Amino acid sequence: MSRIEQVTAAAYRVPTDLPEGDGTLAWEATTLVVALVRAEGMTGTGWTYAPAAAAGFIGDVLAEVVTGRDALAIPAIWSDMVRQVRNAGRPGLAGYAVSAVDVALWDLKARLLGTSLAGLFGLAHERVPLYGSGGFTTYDDDATAAQLTHWVHDLGIGRVKIKIGESSGARPARDLRRVALARRVIGDDAELYVDANGGYTAKQAVRQAERMREHDVRWFEEPVSSDDLAGLRLVRGRIGADVAAGEYGSDPAYFARMCQAEAVDCLQADATRCGGYTGWFAACAIAAGHNLQVSAHCAPNLHLPAAAATPNLRHIEWFHDHQRIEAELFDGAADPSGGLAAPATGEPGHGLTLRAAAAEPYRTA
C-alpha cells in the first residue's frame, strides 16, 4: 500500500495580460489554486481556478481525510471528501477544493504506477480537437482581431469563440457588431462560436441568434444562465446553432437534470469544478447515456488526458486566460497548433510540473 504522507495547497494570483470580461463579470487577475499530494517520494499535482480560500479549505478540511490513505484507492478517497464537505456545500469553494485534490490524486497514482495518466485512463483519441476561446467583451476591435488572427491564421485553429451578452445583455448592437467582426477576421471556413455567460433573457437570446444567423454561428454557449433549464430548452428549440451549457454544475445530479430537461445539444463539464477527473468521467457517462457529446470547459492542459479518454468528447476549450497561466507556470504545456492537441504519453502522470520559482512571485496563500 502506498500511503499518502502529505497534502498541501497554495494560491497564486496572476494578472491578466489585458482586462477581461464577459456578459456578466469582469476581472483583471485570475487565481490558480494548486494541490500537492505526496507518497513514496512522489508528488501528484492538481489545480483549479478559484478564490484563494480554496487553498485554505484543502489544508483545513480535506487534508485530514486524505492523509494516511492508500494513494491508489481514489474512489474511496473521493467519496469521503464529498462526505466531508456536506455541511460546507459541495458547489462553490468546496467543489473547487475537492476537484484540485482529486486531480492531484490521479496524477500521483499514475506516477506511482510508472505510467502516463493518458495510459492509465486509456485513449479514445490520440489527439483531441480544441477551439480558441477568449474574445472578451472588454477587448477593443484591434485586440479582438489580433487574437482571432493568431488562432486561425497563425496557429491553424479552425474553431474560435468570443464573448457576447455584454453588460448583462444591455448592449446587443455591440454584440452583433463584434460577431460580424469575428467572421470577417476568421473567414468563411473557420467555425464561429459565441458565449453570453447567461447575460441574455431567453427571448432576447432567440432574437440575437436570429440576427447572428448571417454570420454562421455554430455554437451558442450559455445564452441564459446554466441554472435556467426552461430558458435553455426554449432557446434550443428556436435556433439553428447548438446550445451548450453546464460548466457550473458541481455534481453528477446537476448534469442529469440538464440532460433530462433536453436543455442542451452539448454538455460542458469542468474537472476543476465538478469533482476532478472522477467527477468528469461521471458527467461524461451521464451525457453518453443521453446520446450527448461533452466539451471540456477551460483549464485545457488539465483536461487533456481525461478528454482524450472520453469517447463522446466534442472538443476542449483552449481558454486564453488559463492556457496563458498554464504555459507560464507549468512545464509540459501542450501545443495547440493545427487545432488538435495530444496528451503526454511519454511522461509520468499528466506530464505537467509546477515551476515553483516562476509561480512564487504570484503566491498569495
Side-chain angles (χ1 to χ4, degrees):
M1 179 184 295
S2 300
R3 291 200 177 276
I4 295 170
E5 301 154 4
Q6 188 179 37
V7 179
T8 59
Y12 306 90
R13 188 176 187 273
V14 184
T16 58
D17 53 355
L18 291 172
E20 297 178 356
D22 56 35
T24 54
L25 192 65
W27 60 97
E28 294 188 353
T30 298
T31 301
L32 170 75
V33 174
V34 177
L36 302 175
V37 181
R38 296 183 177 87
E40 294 190 6
M42 295 187 180
T43 300
T45 304
W47 66 95
T48 185
Y49 295 93
F57 191 94
I58 290 170
D60 295 341
V61 179
L62 297 182
E64 64 180 271
V65 178
V66 178
T67 303
R69 303 291 292 276
D70 179 0
L72 303 185
I74 297 176
I77 300 174
W78 187 89
S79 297
D80 287 344
M81 286 196 295
V82 170
R83 187 177 301 111
Q84 182 75 0
V85 304
R86 186 198 69 179
N87 290 345
R90 184 171 163 191
L93 195 71
Y96 289 122
V98 169
S99 299
V101 174
D102 181 83
V103 170
L105 287 167
W106 280 107
D107 183 44
L108 175 62
K109 180 173 182 174
R111 292 172 187 272
L112 289 168
L113 295 175
T115 186
S116 67
L117 196 51
L120 180 62
F121 289 153
L123 292 180
H125 320 275
E126 291 187 359
R127 297 192 297 168
V128 298
L130 57 91
Y131 67 90
S133 173
F136 300 104
T137 58
T138 45
Y139 283 3
D140 61 19
D141 288 355
D142 289 343
T144 300
Q147 188 178 69
L148 293 170
T149 297
H150 177 63
W151 285 333
V152 176
H153 303 298
D154 297 340
L155 295 181
I157 298 173
R159 309 165 199 86
V160 295
K161 186 178 79 181
I162 68 168
K163 301 289 190 180
I164 60 173
E166 182 181 349
S167 303
S168 296
R171 301 190 66 186
R174 182 173 188 262
D175 291 338
L176 294 172
R177 185 176 64 77
R178 294 181 64 253
V179 171
L181 168 68
R183 176 52 73 191
R184 288 197 303 272
V185 171
I186 68 176
D188 294 335
D189 295 333
E191 295 183 14
L192 178 59
Y193 304 163
V194 297
D195 181 1
N197 286 98
Y200 294 138
T201 65
K203 291 184 178 179
Q204 184 183 23
V206 171
R207 291 194 297 270
Q208 288 291 86
E210 289 294 330
R211 293 164 183 161
M212 291 188 294
R213 194 180 298 276
E214 65 178 292
H215 304 301
D216 191 23
V217 172
R218 304 286 184 86
W219 166 281
F220 198 163
E221 183 176 327
E222 221 182 1
V224 299
S225 168
S226 289
D227 293 326
D228 182 4
L229 300 187
L232 287 169
R233 188 168 57 247
L234 185 150
V235 175
R236 184 188 182 209
R238 297 282 294 276
I239 71 173
D242 280 359
V243 171
E247 71 270 16
Y248 297 109
S250 59
D251 66 87
Y254 170 87
F255 295 106
R257 291 194 299 272
M258 181 165 285
C259 293
Q260 291 162 0
E262 298 184 349
V264 293
D265 298 285
C266 183
L267 178 69
Q268 284 189 302
D270 188 332
T272 74
R273 299 176 179 183
C274 71
Y277 293 137
T278 301
W280 162 272
F281 286 117
C284 293
I286 291 168
H290 289 82
N291 298 309
L292 289 175
Q293 291 182 309
V294 293
S295 178
H297 174 262
C298 294
N301 288 280
L302 180 147
H303 279 109
L304 194 49
T310 301
N312 57 322
L313 179 84
R314 181 177 292 198
H315 42 43
I316 288 179
E317 179 177 18
W318 213 259
F319 185 51
H320 171 71
D321 196 13
H322 294 176
Q323 68 82 22
R324 185 181 61 86
I325 292 172
E326 290 167 3
E328 178 183 353
L329 301 187
F330 291 87
D331 288 321
D335 180 2
S337 297
L340 294 166
T345 55
E347 300 291 335
H350 48 49
L352 278 84
T353 304
L354 182 70
R355 297 179 183 139
E360 190 60 30
Y362 302 118
R363 184 164 180 166
T364 60

